[in-house]
Coordinates of all heavy atoms in Angstrom, one line a residue:
M1 N 58.7 31.0 -64.1 CA 59.9 31.7 -63.9 C 59.5 32.9 -62.9 O 58.5 33.5 -63.1 CB 60.4 32.3 -65.2 CG 61.7 33.0 -65.1 SD 62.4 33.1 -66.7 CE 63.2 34.6 -66.6
N2 N 60.3 33.0 -61.9 CA 60.1 34.1 -60.9 C 60.7 35.4 -61.4 O 61.7 35.5 -62.0 CB 60.8 33.8 -59.6 CG 60.1 32.6 -58.9 OD1 59.0 32.3 -59.2 ND2 60.9 31.9 -58.1
K3 N 59.9 36.5 -61.1 CA 60.4 37.8 -61.4 C 61.4 38.2 -60.4 O 61.3 37.9 -59.2 CB 59.2 38.8 -61.3 CG 58.2 38.8 -62.4 CD 57.3 39.9 -62.2 CE 56.1 40.0 -63.2 NZ 55.2 41.1 -62.9
P4 N 62.4 39.1 -60.8 CA 63.3 39.5 -59.7 C 62.5 40.4 -58.7 O 61.7 41.2 -59.1 CB 64.3 40.4 -60.5 CG 63.9 40.4 -61.9 CD 62.7 39.5 -62.1
R5 N 62.9 40.3 -57.5 CA 62.2 41.1 -56.5 C 62.7 42.5 -56.5 O 63.9 42.8 -56.5 CB 62.5 40.5 -55.1 CG 61.7 41.1 -54.0 CD 61.6 40.3 -52.8 NE 60.7 40.9 -51.9 CZ 61.1 41.4 -50.7 NH1 62.3 41.4 -50.3 NH2 60.2 42.0 -49.9
Q6 N 61.7 43.4 -56.5 CA 62.0 44.9 -56.6 C 62.3 45.3 -55.2 O 61.7 44.9 -54.2 CB 60.8 45.6 -57.1 CG 61.2 47.1 -57.4 CD 60.0 47.8 -58.1 OE1 59.0 47.2 -58.4 NE2 60.2 49.0 -58.4
K7 N 63.3 46.2 -55.0 CA 63.7 46.8 -53.8 C 62.5 47.6 -53.2 O 61.8 48.3 -53.9 CB 64.9 47.7 -54.0 CG 65.3 48.6 -52.9 CD 66.5 49.3 -53.4 CE 66.3 50.8 -53.1 NZ 67.5 51.6 -53.4
P8 N 62.2 47.5 -51.9 CA 61.1 48.3 -51.3 C 61.4 49.8 -51.5 O 62.5 50.3 -51.5 CB 61.2 47.9 -49.8 CG 61.9 46.7 -49.7 CD 62.9 46.7 -50.9
A9 N 60.3 50.6 -51.6 CA 60.4 52.0 -51.8 C 60.9 52.8 -50.6 O 61.5 53.8 -50.7 CB 59.0 52.6 -52.2
M10 N 60.7 52.3 -49.4 CA 61.0 53.1 -48.2 C 62.5 53.2 -47.9 O 63.2 52.3 -48.1 CB 60.4 52.4 -47.0 CG 60.5 53.3 -45.8 SD 60.1 52.5 -44.2 CE 61.6 51.7 -43.9
S11 N 62.9 54.4 -47.6 CA 64.3 54.7 -47.2 C 64.3 55.0 -45.7 O 63.5 55.9 -45.2 CB 64.9 55.9 -48.0 OG 66.1 56.2 -47.4
Q12 N 65.2 54.4 -44.9 CA 65.3 54.7 -43.5 C 65.7 56.2 -43.2 O 65.5 56.7 -42.2 CB 66.4 53.8 -42.9 CG 66.0 52.4 -42.9 CD 64.9 52.1 -41.8 OE1 64.9 52.6 -40.7 NE2 64.0 51.2 -42.2
K13 N 66.2 56.9 -44.3 CA 66.6 58.3 -44.2 C 65.5 59.1 -43.7 O 65.7 60.2 -43.0 CB 67.1 58.7 -45.5 CG 67.7 60.1 -45.6 CD 68.2 60.4 -47.0 CE 68.7 61.9 -47.1 NZ 69.2 62.2 -48.4
I14 N 64.2 58.8 -44.0 CA 63.1 59.6 -43.6 C 63.0 59.8 -42.1 O 62.6 60.9 -41.6 CB 61.8 59.0 -44.1 CG1 60.6 60.0 -44.0 CG2 61.4 57.7 -43.4 CD1 60.7 61.1 -45.1
F15 N 63.5 58.8 -41.3 CA 63.4 58.9 -39.8 C 64.5 59.8 -39.2 O 64.4 60.2 -38.0 CB 63.5 57.5 -39.2 CG 62.4 56.6 -39.7 CD1 62.7 55.6 -40.5 CD2 61.1 56.8 -39.2 CE1 61.7 54.7 -40.9 CE2 60.1 56.0 -39.6 CZ 60.4 54.9 -40.5
K16 N 65.5 60.2 -40.0 CA 66.6 61.0 -39.5 C 66.5 62.5 -39.9 O 67.4 63.3 -39.7 CB 67.9 60.5 -40.0 CG 68.2 59.1 -39.5 CD 69.4 58.5 -40.2 CE 69.6 57.0 -39.7 NZ 70.5 56.3 -40.5
M17 N 65.4 62.8 -40.6 CA 65.3 64.2 -41.1 C 64.5 65.2 -40.3 O 64.3 66.3 -40.6 CB 64.7 64.1 -42.5 CG 65.6 63.3 -43.5 SD 65.0 63.2 -45.2 CE 65.3 64.8 -45.8
G18 N 63.9 64.7 -39.2 CA 63.3 65.6 -38.2 C 61.8 66.0 -38.6 O 61.3 67.0 -38.1
F19 N 61.2 65.2 -39.5 CA 59.8 65.5 -39.9 C 58.8 65.2 -38.8 O 59.1 64.3 -37.9 CB 59.5 64.8 -41.1 CG 60.2 65.2 -42.4 CD1 61.0 64.4 -43.1 CD2 60.1 66.6 -42.8 CE1 61.6 64.8 -44.2 CE2 60.8 67.0 -43.9 CZ 61.6 66.1 -44.6
S20 N 57.7 65.7 -38.9 CA 56.6 65.4 -37.9 C 56.1 64.0 -38.2 O 56.4 63.4 -39.2 CB 55.4 66.4 -38.1 OG 54.8 66.1 -39.4
V21 N 55.4 63.5 -37.2 CA 54.8 62.1 -37.3 C 53.9 62.0 -38.5 O 53.9 61.1 -39.3 CB 54.1 61.7 -36.0 CG1 53.3 60.4 -36.2 CG2 55.1 61.6 -34.9
A22 N 53.1 63.1 -38.7 CA 52.2 63.1 -39.9 C 52.9 63.0 -41.2 O 52.5 62.3 -42.1 CB 51.3 64.4 -39.8
T23 N 54.0 63.8 -41.3 CA 54.8 63.8 -42.6 C 55.4 62.4 -42.8 O 55.4 61.9 -43.9 CB 55.9 64.9 -42.6 OG1 55.2 66.1 -42.4 CG2 56.7 64.9 -43.8
V24 N 56.0 61.8 -41.8 CA 56.6 60.5 -41.9 C 55.5 59.4 -42.2 O 55.7 58.6 -43.1 CB 57.4 60.1 -40.6 CG1 57.8 58.6 -40.7 CG2 58.6 61.0 -40.4
S25 N 54.3 59.6 -41.6 CA 53.2 58.7 -41.9 C 52.8 58.8 -43.3 O 52.5 57.7 -44.0 CB 52.1 59.0 -40.9 OG 52.4 58.7 -39.6
A26 N 52.7 60.0 -43.8 CA 52.3 60.2 -45.2 C 53.3 59.5 -46.2 O 52.9 58.8 -47.1 CB 52.1 61.6 -45.6
Y27 N 54.6 59.7 -45.9 CA 55.6 59.0 -46.6 C 55.5 57.5 -46.6 O 55.6 56.9 -47.7 CB 57.0 59.4 -46.1 CG 58.1 58.7 -46.7 CD1 58.5 58.9 -48.0 CD2 58.8 57.7 -46.0 CE1 59.6 58.2 -48.6 CE2 59.8 56.9 -46.6 CZ 60.2 57.2 -47.9 OH 61.2 56.4 -48.4
L28 N 55.2 56.9 -45.5 CA 55.1 55.5 -45.3 C 53.9 55.0 -46.1 O 54.0 53.9 -46.8 CB 55.0 55.1 -43.9 CG 56.3 55.3 -43.0 CD1 56.0 55.0 -41.6 CD2 57.5 54.5 -43.6
L29 N 52.8 55.7 -46.1 CA 51.6 55.3 -46.9 C 52.0 55.4 -48.4 O 51.6 54.5 -49.2 CB 50.5 56.2 -46.6 CG 49.8 56.1 -45.3 CD1 48.7 57.1 -45.1 CD2 49.2 54.7 -45.2
C30 N 52.7 56.4 -48.8 CA 53.1 56.5 -50.2 C 54.0 55.3 -50.6 O 53.8 54.7 -51.7 CB 53.9 57.8 -50.5 SG 52.9 59.3 -50.4
C31 N 54.9 54.9 -49.7 CA 55.8 53.8 -50.0 C 54.9 52.5 -50.1 O 55.2 51.7 -51.0 CB 56.8 53.6 -48.9 SG 58.0 54.9 -48.9
G32 N 54.0 52.3 -49.3 CA 53.1 51.2 -49.4 C 52.4 51.1 -50.7 O 52.3 50.0 -51.3
F33 N 51.9 52.2 -51.2 CA 51.3 52.2 -52.5 C 52.3 51.9 -53.6 O 52.0 51.1 -54.5 CB 50.6 53.5 -52.8 CG 49.3 53.8 -52.0 CD1 48.9 55.0 -51.6 CD2 48.5 52.7 -51.7 CE1 47.8 55.3 -50.9 CE2 47.3 52.9 -51.0 CZ 46.9 54.2 -50.6
A34 N 53.4 52.5 -53.5 CA 54.5 52.3 -54.5 C 54.9 50.8 -54.6 O 55.1 50.3 -55.6 CB 55.7 53.2 -54.2
D35 N 55.0 50.2 -53.4 CA 55.4 48.8 -53.3 C 54.4 47.8 -53.9 O 54.8 46.7 -54.4 CB 55.7 48.4 -51.9 CG 57.0 49.0 -51.4 OD1 57.9 49.4 -52.2 OD2 57.2 49.0 -50.1
T36 N 53.2 48.3 -54.0 CA 52.1 47.4 -54.6 C 51.7 47.9 -56.0 O 50.7 47.5 -56.5 CB 50.9 47.3 -53.7 OG1 50.4 48.6 -53.4 CG2 51.3 46.7 -52.3
A37 N 52.5 48.8 -56.5 CA 52.2 49.4 -57.8 C 50.8 50.1 -57.9 O 50.2 50.1 -59.0 CB 52.4 48.4 -58.9
T38 N 50.4 50.7 -56.8 CA 49.1 51.4 -56.7 C 49.5 52.9 -56.9 O 50.4 53.4 -56.3 CB 48.5 51.2 -55.3 OG1 48.3 49.8 -55.1 CG2 47.2 52.0 -55.2
P39 N 48.7 53.6 -57.8 CA 49.0 55.0 -58.0 C 48.9 55.8 -56.7 O 48.0 55.5 -55.9 CB 47.9 55.4 -59.0 CG 47.5 54.2 -59.7 CD 47.7 53.1 -58.7
I40 N 49.8 56.7 -56.5 CA 49.8 57.5 -55.2 C 49.1 58.7 -55.5 O 49.5 59.6 -56.3 CB 51.3 57.8 -54.8 CG1 52.1 56.5 -54.6 CG2 51.3 58.7 -53.5 CD1 53.6 56.8 -54.5
S41 N 47.9 58.9 -54.9 CA 47.0 60.0 -55.2 C 46.5 60.5 -53.9 O 46.3 59.7 -52.9 CB 45.9 59.7 -56.2 OG 45.0 58.9 -55.6
I42 N 46.1 61.8 -53.8 CA 45.4 62.3 -52.6 C 44.2 61.5 -52.3 O 43.9 61.2 -51.2 CB 45.1 63.8 -52.8 CG1 46.5 64.6 -52.8 CG2 44.2 64.3 -51.7 CD1 46.3 66.1 -53.1
K43 N 43.4 61.2 -53.3 CA 42.2 60.5 -53.1 C 42.5 59.1 -52.5 O 41.8 58.7 -51.5 CB 41.4 60.3 -54.5 CG 40.1 59.6 -54.3 CD 39.4 59.5 -55.7 CE 38.0 58.8 -55.5 NZ 37.3 58.8 -56.8
K44 N 43.4 58.3 -53.0 CA 43.7 57.0 -52.4 C 44.3 57.2 -51.0 O 44.0 56.4 -50.1 CB 44.7 56.3 -53.4 CG 44.0 55.8 -54.6 CD 44.7 54.6 -55.2 CE 44.0 54.1 -56.4 NZ 42.9 53.2 -56.2
L45 N 45.2 58.2 -50.9 CA 45.8 58.4 -49.5 C 44.7 58.8 -48.5 O 44.7 58.3 -47.4 CB 46.9 59.5 -49.6 CG 48.2 59.1 -50.3 CD1 49.0 60.3 -50.6 CD2 48.9 58.1 -49.5
S46 N 43.7 59.6 -48.9 CA 42.7 60.0 -48.0 C 41.8 58.8 -47.6 O 41.3 58.8 -46.4 CB 41.7 61.0 -48.7 OG 42.4 62.2 -49.0
N47 N 41.7 57.8 -48.4 CA 40.9 56.6 -48.0 C 41.6 55.8 -46.9 O 40.8 55.1 -46.2 CB 40.8 55.7 -49.2 CG 39.8 56.2 -50.3 OD1 39.0 57.0 -50.0 ND2 40.0 55.8 -51.5
V48 N 42.9 56.0 -46.6 CA 43.5 55.2 -45.6 C 44.1 56.1 -44.5 O 44.6 55.6 -43.4 CB 44.6 54.3 -46.1 CG1 44.0 53.2 -46.9 CG2 45.7 55.0 -46.9
W49 N 44.1 57.4 -44.7 CA 44.6 58.4 -43.8 C 43.7 58.5 -42.6 O 42.5 58.6 -42.7 CB 44.8 59.7 -44.5 CG 45.4 60.8 -43.7 CD1 44.8 61.9 -43.1 CD2 46.8 61.0 -43.3 NE1 45.6 62.7 -42.4 CE2 46.9 62.2 -42.6 CE3 47.9 60.3 -43.6 CZ2 48.1 62.6 -42.1 CZ3 49.2 60.7 -43.1 CH2 49.2 61.9 -42.4
N50 N 44.2 58.5 -41.3 CA 43.3 58.6 -40.2 C 43.3 60.0 -39.5 O 42.7 60.1 -38.5 CB 43.6 57.5 -39.2 CG 45.0 57.6 -38.6 OD1 45.8 58.5 -38.9 ND2 45.4 56.7 -37.7
G51 N 44.0 60.9 -40.1 CA 43.9 62.3 -39.6 C 43.0 63.1 -40.5 O 42.2 62.6 -41.3
T52 N 43.1 64.4 -40.4 CA 42.3 65.3 -41.2 C 42.8 65.5 -42.6 O 44.0 65.2 -42.8 CB 42.1 66.7 -40.6 OG1 43.4 67.4 -40.6 CG2 41.6 66.6 -39.1
R53 N 42.0 65.9 -43.5 CA 42.5 66.1 -44.9 C 43.6 67.2 -44.9 O 44.5 67.1 -45.6 CB 41.3 66.5 -45.8 CG 41.7 66.8 -47.2 CD 40.5 67.0 -48.1 NE 40.8 67.3 -49.4 CZ 41.2 66.4 -50.4 NH1 41.1 65.1 -50.1 NH2 41.5 66.8 -51.6
E54 N 43.4 68.3 -44.0 CA 44.4 69.3 -44.0 C 45.7 68.8 -43.5 O 46.8 69.2 -44.0 CB 43.9 70.4 -43.0 CG 42.7 71.2 -43.5 CD 41.3 70.5 -43.4 OE1 41.2 69.6 -42.6 OE2 40.5 70.7 -44.3
E55 N 45.7 67.9 -42.6 CA 47.0 67.3 -42.1 C 47.7 66.5 -43.2 O 48.9 66.6 -43.4 CB 46.8 66.4 -40.9 CG 46.4 67.1 -39.6 CD 45.9 66.2 -38.5 OE1 45.3 65.1 -38.8 OE2 46.1 66.5 -37.4
L56 N 46.9 65.8 -44.0 CA 47.4 65.0 -45.1 C 48.0 66.0 -46.1 O 49.2 65.8 -46.6 CB 46.4 64.1 -45.7 CG 46.8 63.4 -47.0 CD1 48.0 62.5 -46.8 CD2 45.6 62.7 -47.6
L57 N 47.3 67.0 -46.5 CA 47.8 68.0 -47.5 C 49.0 68.7 -47.0 O 50.0 68.9 -47.8 CB 46.7 69.0 -47.8 CG 45.4 68.4 -48.5 CD1 44.4 69.4 -48.8 CD2 45.8 67.7 -49.8
M58 N 49.1 69.0 -45.7 CA 50.3 69.7 -45.2 C 51.5 68.7 -45.2 O 52.6 69.1 -45.6 CB 50.1 70.2 -43.8 CG 49.2 71.4 -43.8 SD 48.9 72.1 -42.1 CE 50.5 72.6 -41.7
A59 N 51.3 67.5 -44.9 CA 52.3 66.5 -44.9 C 52.9 66.3 -46.3 O 54.1 66.2 -46.6 CB 51.8 65.1 -44.3
L60 N 52.0 66.2 -47.3 CA 52.4 66.0 -48.7 C 53.1 67.2 -49.2 O 54.1 67.1 -49.9 CB 51.2 65.7 -49.6 CG 50.5 64.3 -49.4 CD1 49.2 64.3 -50.1 CD2 51.5 63.3 -49.9
K61 N 52.7 68.4 -48.8 CA 53.4 69.6 -49.1 C 54.8 69.6 -48.6 O 55.8 70.0 -49.3 CB 52.6 70.9 -48.6 CG 53.2 72.2 -49.0 CD 52.3 73.3 -48.5 CE 52.9 74.7 -49.0 NZ 52.1 75.8 -48.5
Q62 N 55.0 69.2 -47.4 CA 56.3 69.1 -46.8 C 57.2 68.1 -47.6 O 58.3 68.3 -47.8 CB 56.2 68.6 -45.3 CG 57.5 68.7 -44.5 CD 57.9 70.1 -44.3 OE1 57.1 70.9 -43.8 NE2 59.1 70.5 -44.6
L63 N 56.6 66.9 -47.9 CA 57.4 65.9 -48.7 C 57.7 66.5 -50.0 O 58.9 66.3 -50.5 CB 56.5 64.7 -48.8 CG 56.3 63.9 -47.5 CD1 55.3 62.7 -47.8 CD2 57.6 63.3 -47.0
E64 N 56.8 67.2 -50.7 CA 57.1 67.8 -52.0 C 58.2 68.8 -51.9 O 59.1 68.9 -52.7 CB 55.8 68.3 -52.6 CG 55.9 68.5 -54.0 CD 54.5 68.8 -54.6 OE1 53.5 69.0 -53.9 OE2 54.4 69.0 -55.9
K65 N 58.1 69.7 -50.9 CA 59.1 70.8 -50.7 C 60.5 70.2 -50.5 O 61.5 70.9 -50.9 CB 58.7 71.6 -49.5 CG 59.5 72.8 -49.2 CD 59.0 73.8 -48.2 CE 58.4 73.3 -47.0 NZ 58.1 74.4 -46.0
N66 N 60.6 69.1 -49.9 CA 61.9 68.5 -49.7 C 62.3 67.5 -50.7 O 63.3 66.7 -50.6 CB 61.9 67.8 -48.3 CG 61.9 68.9 -47.2 OD1 62.9 69.4 -46.9 ND2 60.7 69.2 -46.7
G67 N 61.6 67.4 -51.8 CA 62.0 66.6 -53.0 C 61.8 65.1 -52.7 O 62.5 64.3 -53.3
I68 N 61.0 64.7 -51.8 CA 60.7 63.3 -51.5 C 59.6 62.7 -52.3 O 59.7 61.5 -52.7 CB 60.4 63.2 -50.0 CG1 61.7 63.6 -49.2 CG2 60.0 61.7 -49.6 CD1 61.4 63.9 -47.7
V69 N 58.6 63.5 -52.6 CA 57.6 63.1 -53.6 C 57.6 64.3 -54.7 O 57.9 65.4 -54.4 CB 56.2 62.9 -53.0 CG1 56.2 61.8 -52.0 CG2 55.7 64.2 -52.4
Q70 N 57.1 63.9 -55.8 CA 56.9 64.9 -56.9 C 55.5 64.7 -57.5 O 55.1 63.6 -57.8 CB 58.0 64.7 -58.0 CG 57.8 65.6 -59.1 CD 58.8 65.3 -60.2 OE1 59.5 64.3 -60.3 NE2 59.0 66.2 -61.2
C71 N 54.8 65.8 -57.6 CA 53.5 65.8 -58.3 C 53.7 65.5 -59.8 O 54.5 66.3 -60.4 CB 52.8 67.1 -58.0 SG 51.1 67.1 -58.8
I72 N 53.1 64.5 -60.3 CA 53.3 64.2 -61.7 C 52.0 64.4 -62.5 O 52.1 64.5 -63.7 CB 53.8 62.7 -61.9 CG1 52.8 61.7 -61.2 CG2 55.2 62.6 -61.4 CD1 53.1 60.3 -61.6
L73 N 50.9 64.6 -61.8 CA 49.6 64.9 -62.5 C 48.6 65.5 -61.6 O 48.6 65.1 -60.4 CB 49.1 63.5 -63.1 CG 47.8 63.6 -63.9 CD1 48.0 64.3 -65.2 CD2 47.3 62.1 -64.1
T74 N 47.9 66.4 -62.0 CA 46.8 67.0 -61.2 C 45.6 67.3 -62.1 O 45.8 67.6 -63.2 CB 47.3 68.3 -60.5 OG1 46.3 68.8 -59.7 CG2 47.8 69.4 -61.4
D75 N 44.4 67.3 -61.4 CA 43.2 67.7 -62.2 C 42.9 69.1 -61.9 O 41.9 69.6 -62.3 CB 42.1 66.7 -61.8 CG 41.6 66.8 -60.4 OD1 42.1 67.6 -59.6 OD2 40.8 66.0 -60.0
H76 N 43.8 69.8 -61.1 CA 43.6 71.2 -60.8 C 42.4 71.5 -59.9 O 41.9 72.6 -59.8 CB 43.6 72.1 -62.0 CG 44.9 72.1 -62.7 ND1 46.1 72.6 -62.3 CD2 45.2 71.5 -63.9 CE1 47.1 72.4 -63.1 NE2 46.6 71.7 -64.1
R77 N 41.9 70.4 -59.3 CA 40.7 70.6 -58.4 C 41.2 70.0 -57.0 O 41.8 70.7 -56.2 CB 39.5 69.9 -58.9 CG 39.0 70.5 -60.1 CD 37.7 69.9 -60.5 NE 37.3 70.4 -61.9 CZ 36.4 69.8 -62.6 NH1 35.9 68.7 -62.3 NH2 36.1 70.3 -63.8
E78 N 40.9 68.7 -56.9 CA 41.1 68.2 -55.6 C 42.1 67.0 -55.6 O 42.5 66.5 -54.5 CB 39.8 67.7 -54.9 CG 38.8 68.8 -54.7 CD 37.8 68.5 -53.6 OE1 38.0 67.5 -52.9 OE2 36.9 69.2 -53.5
N79 N 42.5 66.5 -56.7 CA 43.3 65.3 -56.8 C 44.7 65.6 -57.4 O 44.7 66.3 -58.4 CB 42.6 64.2 -57.4 CG 43.1 62.8 -57.0 OD1 43.8 62.8 -55.9 ND2 42.8 61.8 -57.7
K80 N 45.7 65.0 -56.9 CA 47.0 65.1 -57.4 C 47.6 63.7 -57.4 O 47.2 62.9 -56.5 CB 48.0 66.0 -56.6 CG 47.7 67.4 -56.7 CD 48.8 68.2 -55.9 CE 48.6 69.7 -56.1 NZ 49.7 70.4 -55.3
F81 N 48.4 63.3 -58.3 CA 49.1 62.1 -58.3 C 50.6 62.4 -58.1 O 51.2 63.3 -58.6 CB 48.9 61.3 -59.6 CG 47.5 60.8 -59.8 CD1 46.5 61.6 -60.2 CD2 47.3 59.5 -59.5 CE1 45.2 61.1 -60.4 CE2 46.0 59.0 -59.6 CZ 44.9 59.8 -60.1
Y82 N 51.3 61.5 -57.3 CA 52.7 61.7 -57.0 C 53.5 60.5 -57.3 O 53.0 59.4 -57.5 CB 52.8 61.9 -55.4 CG 52.1 63.1 -54.9 CD1 50.8 63.0 -54.5 CD2 52.8 64.3 -54.9 CE1 50.2 64.2 -54.0 CE2 52.1 65.4 -54.4 CZ 50.8 65.4 -53.9 OH 50.2 66.5 -53.4
K83 N 54.8 60.7 -57.4 CA 55.8 59.6 -57.5 C 56.8 59.9 -56.4 O 57.1 61.0 -56.0 CB 56.4 59.5 -58.9 CG 57.4 60.6 -59.2 CD 58.1 60.3 -60.5 CE 59.2 61.3 -60.7 NZ 60.0 61.0 -61.9
L84 N 57.4 58.8 -55.9 CA 58.4 58.9 -54.9 C 59.7 59.2 -55.6 O 60.0 58.6 -56.7 CB 58.5 57.6 -54.2 CG 57.4 57.3 -53.2 CD1 57.5 55.9 -52.6 CD2 57.5 58.3 -52.0
I85 N 60.6 60.0 -55.0 CA 61.9 60.3 -55.5 C 62.9 59.4 -54.7 O 62.8 59.3 -53.4 CB 62.2 61.8 -55.3 CG1 61.2 62.6 -56.0 CG2 63.6 62.1 -55.8 CD1 61.0 62.4 -57.5
D86 N 63.9 58.9 -55.3 CA 64.9 58.1 -54.7 C 65.6 59.0 -53.6 O 65.8 60.2 -53.8 CB 65.9 57.6 -55.7 CG 66.9 56.6 -55.1 OD1 66.4 55.4 -54.8 OD2 68.0 56.9 -54.8
A87 N 66.0 58.4 -52.5 CA 66.5 59.1 -51.3 C 67.8 60.0 -51.7 O 68.0 61.0 -51.1 CB 66.9 58.2 -50.2
Q88 N 68.6 59.5 -52.7 CA 69.7 60.3 -53.1 C 69.3 61.7 -53.6 O 70.1 62.6 -53.6 CB 70.6 59.6 -54.1 CG 71.4 58.4 -53.5 CD 70.6 57.1 -53.4 OE1 69.5 57.0 -54.0 NE2 71.1 56.2 -52.7
G89 N 68.1 61.8 -54.1 CA 67.6 63.1 -54.7 C 66.9 64.0 -53.8 O 66.5 65.1 -54.1
W90 N 66.8 63.6 -52.5 CA 66.1 64.4 -51.5 C 66.9 65.6 -51.2 O 68.1 65.6 -51.1 CB 65.8 63.6 -50.2 CG 64.9 62.4 -50.4 CD1 64.3 62.0 -51.5 CD2 64.5 61.5 -49.4 NE1 63.5 60.9 -51.3 CE2 63.6 60.6 -50.0 CE3 64.8 61.4 -48.0 CZ2 63.1 59.5 -49.2 CZ3 64.2 60.4 -47.3 CH2 63.4 59.5 -47.9
N91 N 66.2 66.7 -50.9 CA 66.8 68.0 -50.4 C 67.0 67.9 -48.9 O 66.4 67.1 -48.2 CB 65.9 69.2 -50.7 CG 65.6 69.3 -52.2 OD1 66.4 69.0 -53.1 ND2 64.3 69.7 -52.5
A92 N 67.9 68.8 -48.4 CA 68.1 68.9 -47.0 C 66.7 69.4 -46.4 O 65.9 70.1 -47.1 CB 69.1 70.0 -46.7
P93 N 66.4 68.9 -45.2 CA 65.1 69.2 -44.6 C 64.8 70.7 -44.5 O 65.7 71.5 -44.1 CB 65.2 68.6 -43.2 CG 66.2 67.6 -43.3 CD 67.2 68.1 -44.3
V94 N 63.6 71.1 -45.0 CA 63.1 72.5 -44.9 C 61.9 72.3 -44.1 O 60.8 72.0 -44.6 CB 62.8 73.1 -46.3 CG1 62.3 74.5 -46.1 CG2 64.0 73.1 -47.2
L95 N 62.0 72.6 -42.8 CA 60.9 72.3 -41.8 C 60.1 73.6 -41.6 O 60.4 74.7 -41.8 CB 61.4 71.7 -40.5 CG 62.2 70.4 -40.7 CD1 62.8 70.0 -39.4 CD2 61.3 69.3 -41.3

């Protein structure tokens, strides 16, 4: 028996919000992890991110500030885990 196909995590709305390329790229990576049921963490994102760690952290901060991702767990050191928020729950862009 086939499982029902889950809707992809990515929302096209991200492209209309005026974010930097880095912020959109971080969002797309988060969506890729979500679509494969892989936990979204700074550590995992860092393994595939091709910019600096600071750029990644700034992009995640922007996504979090706009309600696009939510930190759900942190070790209070270097790693945080995130979940994606449905596009209807996103805040107006705060750039």
Side-chain angles (χ1 to χ4, degrees):
M1 184 162 149
N2 292 338
K3 286 185 186 178
R5 187 159 187 250
Q6 189 173 3
K7 166 179 133 175
M10 190 194 81
S11 171
Q12 294 288 321
K13 183 176 177 181
I14 196 73
F15 299 109
K16 298 174 184 165
M17 296 182 75
F19 293 122
S20 69
V21 171
T23 301
V24 173
S25 296
Y27 170 74
L28 295 174
L29 287 175
C30 290
C31 290
F33 285 147
D35 287 342
T36 60
T38 302
I40 303 167
S41 70
I42 291 174
K43 184 176 181 180
K44 289 203 178 278
L45 290 167
S46 293
N47 289 336
V48 294
W49 184 256
N50 63 1
T52 66
R53 181 172 177 84
E54 291 76 26
E55 290 169 328
L56 174 61
L57 295 176
M58 287 182 66
L60 288 169
K61 185 176 181 180
Q62 189 71 52
L63 292 172
E64 198 168 4
K65 183 168 42 170
N66 288 279
I68 297 167
V69 298
Q70 178 183 13
C71 179
I72 56 171
L73 183 66
T74 180
D75 64 7
H76 298 289
R77 292 186 190 161
E78 298 203 11
N79 206 15
K80 288 184 175 182
F81 288 83
Y82 297 92
K83 74 173 185 174
L84 287 170
I85 304 301
D86 191 73
Q88 285 84 12
W90 295 359
N91 302 324
V94 180
L95 303 173

